[in-house]
Structures are given as structure tokens and as C-alpha cells.
Amino acid sequence: MLTYGQLVSILRSNQSVRIELRCMSGNGRLLSADGFFCSQGLSQDEGDDDSGTDHNAGDSPGTSLQRAERVGDSTLPDVFQTNHLLFYERFKAYQDYMLGDCKTSEVKAFVSDYLEKVVEPCDWQAVWSTEVFDVLVEVMDVHYSELKARVELVVPLRCEARGCELSEEAMRDLLEATQHTVPLHELHVVYDESGDFDQTALAVEHLRFFYKHIWRKWDEEDEDDDFDYFVRCVEPRLRLHYDVLEDRVPAGLVAEYHALLTRCAQNFQEFSNLRNDLGSDSDSELDNVSMVEGLRLCEQMEVLKRKLRIIENPLLRYVLGYKVNSGQQACRAKGLRPTGSRVVHVVSSSMTVAQLTSLMSDKLCPDFSGDEFELQFHSDPLEAVHSCYQGDVVIVCPGHYLVSGSIRIPDSVEVEGFGLTDEVVIEKTGKGDTFVESTAANAKISNLKFIQHDAIEGILCVRQGKLEMENCVLQCETTGVIVRTSAQLSMNMCDLYGSKGAGVEIYPGSVCCLVGNGIHHCKEGVLIKDFADELDTMPRITMVNNVIHNNEGYGVILVKPADSLQERGSVGVHLDEVSEVPKLVAHVGEESDQSKPGTNQTEVPLIVVEETPVEVHYATTPELMEGNDAIKQELVATSAKKSRRRRASMQELGLTQVDDNLLSQEMFVCIQGNQFKRNGKGGFGTFQY
């Protein structure tokens, strides 16, 4: 007799063999060949019926699903608990049974076929649930092609209304108006211990989840109908849904995604109404205006859909993130204290007399002995920082401090540790988007060690303003330091390690100065982002004497749009083309303001980057380019292309007199003395999207 494992091995090694497995799990549930429970609609039967329905469910006693018990004195019966399915359960149901490899235009037909094989055609009870009421009905027939069911009220009436009162007569009138048909996804199957309706309950749940979280009204409008709908749309949207449930996506990104969905739905509705109002053969002026408006709405839709696809794609979501400050509301800056005084906040859970004497003699008396300074004592660094006004100082004494919230710095303050860095530790225990977030005009953090666990967006995020970090240790568990657009970070003599993403993420339009840091044991060392938007300028970067080592990917990686590589059909960029970009500087040791011979100096001033032009080739896959010079050359060439595109766009708008000071931002690149050691993919690479 063959064991279950032997049968599975035979099936996997020879796909032509079809064997019906009648193995039972420990709890009496029938298992399919791939090890999934058949009660989830995943069994395999002989013949052409691959619907996943367990036609022999009667051999398995009782239901395998949980009961969703109602709270309070409800007159309605309990229903099946089906909304807590795991990712792999939904994934397998959609991929193997509900959608397969169908195209977008075939989705409804595939769904109807799946329901016809799985859902019981009649004689089962369900709770018809809407935003206004829940009422018990009996299903008399299922219209699979329309995804609807014909129902009758169960007498006596069992109903729960929200915000109104509904009588049996009112419900009958409502059903008459709908011809006794209701959407199938609004039905919740009444719990039945026999197990006869498990498949029906699961199928209706898959249908309900699909049209609530996966399907978009504009999907069927996609002109490209040759792709696999599951691969292109279902899988990424399903993964995003569960990533959000498991707190793997920043709250700001989730808010932006839902806002984009709302805007896209509104645009699509406007476009549909406009299209329906257009005459089929009318050449009136009004119709011509409507067509122009329709084209505008189409363009807006494409832009919104592209942004949605970026967020839905896990890789693009990681390398691009989101560009606006749509995270949690930052604390408002308080400004100066009304009394005009400044406070020194001393943080210590406990302190000996010797420690207090040392603090007074070494720190407080030399630096804060003026009359304008007051002292306040705290046991929680989070409380101390949030109590600060502009100009205050927080001194954290040696100790291991556990905080559950995020440290937000809206005012220009200084936070410093008193003692050795490893002796002054602040550890985050709770969940949140960021551990430390700075929006101050000019703040400073020094001599502290931060340990991050569940901060989704980063251990440190500089959203705006300027932050200086010195002699800090950043022990990451998820993501590292993020420098947002228009923000400035100066990070000196710090040690950063353990990030599951990039150690430092630098956004377009930011200023980042990294001097003498160690960045190691991260997925990527430093990630520089360049978006397709022409208004997004390259960041101003200084990297001097850093040691970037033992990272899984590249030491430094540049993320840039692939379409920028197609300008003028060129596959490579020469650095002598940089002469077209005004005020572009690459600092190699000293800045040069000599112009290239033959260049029209009245139009474009040139600053030579190297003594001889060096050719930088791009490929469709990121290529390995080691060393400081390779990074400088790539950043300069990328910025040159973006500046030319901005200039061309301005000229297309009829602006022949282009103000170089308005059009371009100076990109200052100072990259020298950095060491790249034992990085998995090399010192420098590019990623094109």
C-alpha cells in the first residue's frame, strides 16, 4: 500500500497520472494531492470537473468552517466565518479555480463558470446584508451568469435595520422592486453543521472579496487584453491587501493608495457619463468639446493607474515609495516658549549622586549655567522630546529606555546622550510608521543608540527641514534612514546596520551629507531615487570617507525611470554632454569653472567633471560599476538628461527664453574616499523601472 507522501511524489513527478487521493487528515478532513484541505474548494476529482468542489463531502462528517457568532440579542442566525482566510487560501482559489489564466474580458465568464460548479443552485438560507439592513432570506435559484440570486423572505420576518424601521410589507415591496433578485456577493450563508454548504459559503466569500478588493471598474477598459489577469492584477493587489493588514505598508502610503483609488473611480465615472452622452454620428461643436474633455480624462486616468500599479507592485513600492508627505500628521512646531526661557530636559530612570555630580560638572555647568536655562527631569525620553519648545536641549543619561511611540521633532532642538553611545540606548517596542521623525528647521541628535523593531517606514525619517546626526548607532530591523524631498540630513561618524531595505534612502530634491559613517549588513547600502517627473531634481549628495560593506545588494544603487534612457535613441551617455546642463558640479577634490572649448559660454556655462570624458553605458539590467568615480559619473549623466528634458518641455510650451536659474537646480556631487567592501552585487549599480 502506498503512503500519502509516495502518492504525492508520483503525482508531482508524472503529471499525466491522475489519482484520486482518499487520504484523511487527522481531523477527518479530506486532503487534496497538494496537501490543501478540500473544504476550501481545493480538491481534485476525476474527469473534467476541476471546480474544486468536494462532491464526496458527505464522507467527511461535519463542517470544517468556523461559526461567526452574533453579538447581543440578535434574531438572525449565525453565518459561516469566512472573512479570515489566509493569503495562500485566496491565492490558490483565484489562481487554480476561479480565474486561472483568463484575460480581463473573460473574467466574468470564468467567475460564472466557477460559481456554477461550486454554489448550490437552491434551497439554502442566507443573510442578505446591506449598509441599511440585514434580513434572513431563502435562495430559490442562482443566476450564475448575472452573479445574482433569486430569493424569498423567510417568514416570520427576521431582520435588523440600521437607522430605520423595516416591516415585512416594506421588505416585500423592496424585493418586488428588485424582481426578487439580489447580488450574490451580498449574501452570507447561514451556518450549517452538516458541512453541505461549506463550498457555497467559501465561493460566495471569494466572489465578495474579489469585487470588493481586487476588481476595478476600469479594468475591462484596458486596451491590452492579452495579458494574464491574475498575474498582472490579482496577485499584486492581493499581496498589497495582506501587506496592509499585517502592517507592512506605511499608513501614509495606504492613505495615498485609497485617495488614488477614489480619484480614479471619479474620473472613470465622469468619462463613462461623457461617453454615454456623446452622439454616435454627431459632428456638433458640443460633441467636439466633449471629445476633447474625454481625451483629457483618459490621460488623467492613465496617470492615476500608473501610480496605482507602482504602489501595487512590491518591488516598485520598495524602490520608489511615495513622494508626498502623506504619512501621519507631524506635530506642529511650538516655536519659542512664551516666557522666553530655555529648558534643559534631563532624562534618567534613576541616578546616583556620583552620576549627578558628573553631569553637573561636565555638562550642565559649562554649557547651561546662564539665567535663561531651566532644568526639568523626565524618566521617558519620548515625554522629554514632546515637551520641548524651540531652543530646548534634551540630555539623555546612561540607561536602556523602552518607548512604544514615535519620537517626533517639530522644533529646532538638540537631543544628546551623556556617556558612551552603547550606554545610552532608546529601543522602540510598539508599531508605527517611523521611530524618529524630524520636521524641524534645524535639529541635532548625537551620542545615542536607537534600536528599531516595528517601524515600517524607517528608523529615522527627515521629512522636511534640516537634521544633523553625530556619533549615533542605528540598529535597524526593518528599514533605515529616509531623506525626503526638500529635506536635509547631515550624518557624521554614525554606524547603521540591519536594515531589510536600504540603509539610507535619498529622495529627489533633498540634500544629504554622509561623512565617516559605517553602513553595513543591509539589503542595500545607499539608495538614490530619481523619479520620472521632470520637476523632481536630483539630490545634492556628499559622501566622504564612508565604509559601506557587507550589504546584500549594492553599496550604492541609483533608481531611475527607463524611459529617460531612450532620449534621442541613444544607448549611452558621454560626460561631454554634461555641457548642456547649467550649473552642474561634480566635486572631485576641487571645483573647476573652465568651459569646454567650442561651447557657447553665453548660453551654457560648463564645469568640467573629469580631465577626460568617460563613457557611461546603461543596460536594461543594473550593471556593476565599482568605485567613487563610477557613482559621480552616473549621477552627473542622469542629472544632465533630466535637465535637457526639462529644457525641451519648456521650449515645447513656447518658452524660448529659458531662465537657467529657474529651470535647473545645482547638483553638487562630492563623492570621495569611500570604501566599498564585500557587498553582494558590488559597489555601485542602477535599477531601471
Side-chain angles (χ1 to χ4, degrees):
M1 177 181 294
L2 291 177
T3 65
Y4 174 75
Q6 291 172 329
L7 286 175
V8 172
S9 299
I10 294 173
L11 284 175
R12 290 176 175 171
S13 61
N14 188 349
Q15 298 297 325
S16 63
V17 177
R18 294 182 61 84
I19 302 175
E20 184 179 0
L21 300 182
R22 302 301 300 165
C23 303
M24 307 297 290
S25 67
N27 59 1
R29 295 165 63 185
L30 184 63
L31 291 173
S32 65
D34 53 14
F36 286 95
F37 291 114
C38 291
S39 64
Q40 298 167 3
L42 305 177
S43 68
Q44 295 182 353
D45 297 321
E46 288 193 72
D48 297 330
D49 187 1
D50 60 350
S51 65
T53 306
D54 180 13
H55 296 296
N56 299 289
D59 298 339
S60 178
T63 178
S64 60
L65 299 179
Q66 299 296 319
R67 178 198 298 264
E69 297 183 359
R70 293 187 175 273
V71 181
D73 299 329
S74 176
T75 60
L76 292 171
D78 296 336
V79 297
F80 284 104
Q81 177 69 276
T82 57
N83 59 352
H84 292 159
L85 298 180
L86 301 177
F87 167 80
Y88 80 88
E89 294 174 311
R90 297 192 191 276
F91 181 94
K92 190 168 181 64
Y94 292 136
Q95 183 184 46
D96 292 352
Y97 302 106
M98 189 169 179
L99 298 172
D101 58 354
C102 71
K103 300 178 177 59
T104 307
S105 59
E106 302 171 335
V107 166
K108 190 172 182 179
F110 270 64
V111 171
S112 301
D113 183 64
Y114 165 75
L115 295 176
E116 188 171 0
K117 295 178 180 179
V118 177
V119 175
E120 293 292 335
C122 59
D123 299 332
W124 48 278
Q125 290 189 345
V127 175
W128 178 21
S129 180
T130 69
E131 295 180 355
V132 180
F133 60 81
D134 294 338
V135 62
L136 182 64
V137 297
E138 182 167 356
V139 176
M140 311 304 294
D141 190 16
V142 178
H143 303 158
Y144 299 104
S145 61
E146 300 175 7
L147 307 182
K148 293 183 178 182
R150 186 169 65 85
V151 300
E152 294 287 350
L153 280 179
V154 173
V155 180
L157 177 69
R158 300 170 70 177
C159 176
E160 290 183 359
R162 289 177 281 276
C164 63
E165 294 184 3
L166 291 175
S167 62
E168 182 176 336
E169 182 180 358
M171 289 303 305
R172 291 190 182 279
D173 292 340
L174 177 61
L175 283 176
E176 287 291 338
T178 62
Q179 298 181 346
H180 287 262
T181 59
V182 300
L184 196 57
H185 66 265
E186 293 183 358
L187 298 179
H188 296 261
V189 182
V190 170
Y191 182 78
D192 187 286
E193 294 182 349
S194 68
D196 294 342
F197 300 106
D198 285 15
Q199 300 295 329
T200 298
L202 284 166
V204 173
E205 169 61 27
H206 290 318
L207 176 71
R208 179 166 43 248
F209 184 91
F210 176 76
Y211 279 102
K212 182 177 181 180
H213 299 291
I214 305 296
W215 178 256
R216 312 281 184 252
K217 294 179 179 179
W218 51 87
D219 283 348
E220 56 189 356
E221 300 285 332
D222 202 314
E223 296 178 356
D224 184 8
D225 195 38
D226 296 329
F227 61 82
D228 185 329
Y229 182 74
F230 177 85
V231 173
R232 179 163 177 175
C233 297
V234 177
E235 181 178 358
R237 292 171 185 173
L238 185 62
R239 290 188 184 278
L240 174 62
H241 176 81
Y242 277 89
D243 284 346
V244 172
L245 287 182
E246 296 168 9
D247 292 326
R248 296 177 183 172
V249 183
L253 185 53
V254 176
E256 183 180 0
Y257 182 71
H258 289 304
L260 287 171
L261 280 176
T262 302
R263 288 172 56 194
C264 209
Q266 292 172 348
N267 272 36
F268 181 74
Q269 187 62 47
E270 290 179 24
F271 175 76
S272 299
N273 295 338
L274 192 63
R275 182 174 53 184
N276 294 335
D277 293 340
L278 282 175
S280 58
D281 56 353
S282 175
D283 294 329
S284 67
E285 182 178 349
L286 181 60
D287 280 354
N288 290 337
V289 172
S290 298
M291 290 181 67
V292 173
E293 178 66 12
L295 290 174
R296 184 187 66 82
L297 290 173
C298 275
E299 291 178 356
Q300 291 181 357
M301 281 284 297
E302 290 304 316
V303 172
L304 293 172
K305 288 195 296 185
R306 182 176 182 273
K307 291 181 179 180
L308 287 171
R309 283 195 293 269
I310 287 176
I311 298 177
E312 290 167 353
N313 185 296
L315 180 59
L316 294 181
R317 184 165 70 240
Y318 159 66
V319 297
L320 295 179
Y322 61 109
K323 299 187 290 179
V324 297
N325 289 341
S326 57
Q328 296 180 355
Q329 281 289 340
C331 300
R332 289 181 175 271
K334 301 176 184 177
L336 294 172
R337 188 172 272 100
T339 60
S341 62
R342 296 173 60 188
V343 173
V344 178
H345 304 265
V346 179
V347 181
S348 179
S349 54
S350 63
M351 184 180 297
T352 65
V353 174
Q355 289 174 331
L356 179 59
T357 303
S358 175
L359 177 65
M360 292 289 294
S361 61
D362 296 343
K363 191 67 182 177
L364 296 180
C365 290
D367 298 338
F368 308 107
S369 57
D371 294 338
E372 72 274 17
F373 289 103
E374 299 177 2
L375 277 180
Q376 289 185 10
F377 291 87
H378 307 266
S379 59
D380 182 6
L382 193 63
E383 176 189 349
V385 173
H386 292 172
S387 301
C388 285
Y389 284 76
Q390 181 178 325
D392 286 2
V393 177
V394 178
I395 299 176
V396 186
C397 295
H400 195 120
Y401 303 90
L402 299 178
V403 298
S404 58
S406 297
I407 300 175
R408 305 188 186 278
I409 307 177
D411 288 282
S412 297
V413 300
E414 293 185 21
V415 182
E416 57 180 297
F418 179 72
L420 298 177
T421 304
D422 287 336
E423 295 178 350
V424 189
V425 180
I426 302 177
E427 181 177 355
K428 186 176 190 299
T429 58
K431 291 187 176 182
D433 286 351
T434 56
F435 186 0
V436 181
E437 179 181 74
S438 175
T439 56
N442 193 354
K444 182 178 180 179
I445 301 175
S446 60
N447 213 43
L448 291 169
K449 180 176 181 178
F450 296 96
I451 301 177
Q452 166 214 44
H453 293 294
D454 293 317
I456 302 168
E457 191 178 350
I459 191 170
L460 169 69
C461 180
V462 188
R463 292 198 179 274
Q464 61 189 44
K466 180 180 179 180
L467 175 67
E468 180 182 351
M469 291 197 71
E470 186 174 332
N471 195 32
C472 290
V473 176
L474 303 172
Q475 179 180 322
C476 312
E477 189 174 286
T478 48
T479 51
V481 175
I482 299 173
V483 190
R484 291 286 182 192
T485 299
S486 301
Q488 300 182 42
L489 171 68
S490 177
M491 185 170 160
N492 305 321
M493 306 302 296
C494 295
D495 188 31
L496 188 156
Y497 58 92
S499 172
K500 298 295 190 298
V504 180
E505 294 185 19
I506 305 174
Y507 274 67
S510 63
V511 178
C512 186
C513 178
L514 306 175
V515 179
N517 302 286
I519 302 174
H520 55 98
H521 294 92
C522 303
K523 183 177 178 62
E524 311 284 353
V526 178
L527 188 150
I528 305 170
K529 300 186 177 184
D530 173 31
F531 296 123
D533 193 338
E534 297 167 2
L535 298 179
D536 287 323
T537 59
M538 291 293 289
R540 300 174 62 184
I541 301 172
T542 300
M543 289 180 59
V544 178
N545 297 334
N546 300 284
V547 181
I548 303 176
H549 64 96
N550 290 101
N551 295 291
E552 181 181 337
Y554 292 103
V556 177
I557 183 170
L558 171 65
V559 177
K560 59 184 180 180
D563 56 358
S564 67
L565 305 177
Q566 322 229 336
E567 186 179 26
R568 296 185 302 187
S570 175
V571 296
V573 177
H574 296 272
L575 286 181
D576 53 4
E577 293 181 0
V578 175
S579 60
E580 301 179 19
V581 185
K583 301 175 68 175
L584 185 63
V585 179
H587 185 73
V588 182
E590 352 178 295
E591 300 175 18
S592 170
D593 57 0
Q594 299 175 357
S595 298
K596 183 177 177 180
T599 302
N600 188 339
Q601 298 185 22
T602 61
E603 294 183 0
V604 182
L606 167 68
I607 296 177
V608 177
V609 180
E610 298 283 356
E611 295 179 0
T612 57
V614 179
E615 185 174 357
V616 182
H617 289 286
Y618 298 93
T620 54
T621 58
E623 73 177 302
L624 179 63
M625 295 188 294
E626 297 285 348
N628 296 275
D629 291 342
I631 301 173
K632 287 181 294 192
Q633 294 161 11
E634 179 74 25
L635 294 178
V636 168
T638 301
S639 184
K641 277 182 167 276
K642 175 158 282 191
S643 294
R644 286 199 305 276
R645 290 171 58 207
R646 287 203 305 273
R647 180 181 293 275
S649 297
M650 298 288 283
Q651 290 175 347
E652 287 177 2
L653 294 173
L655 301 177
T656 55
Q657 299 292 333
V658 181
D659 186 347
D660 288 337
N661 292 325
L662 256 167
L663 182 64
S664 64
Q665 299 288 334
E666 178 181 351
M667 174 189 170
F668 185 85
V669 183
C670 178
I671 299 177
Q672 60 182 11
N674 301 287
Q675 299 181 46
F676 302 91
K677 300 178 180 179
R678 298 182 294 277
N679 294 295
K681 296 183 180 179
F684 178 66
T686 59
F687 177 87
Q688 302 166 10
Y689 66 93

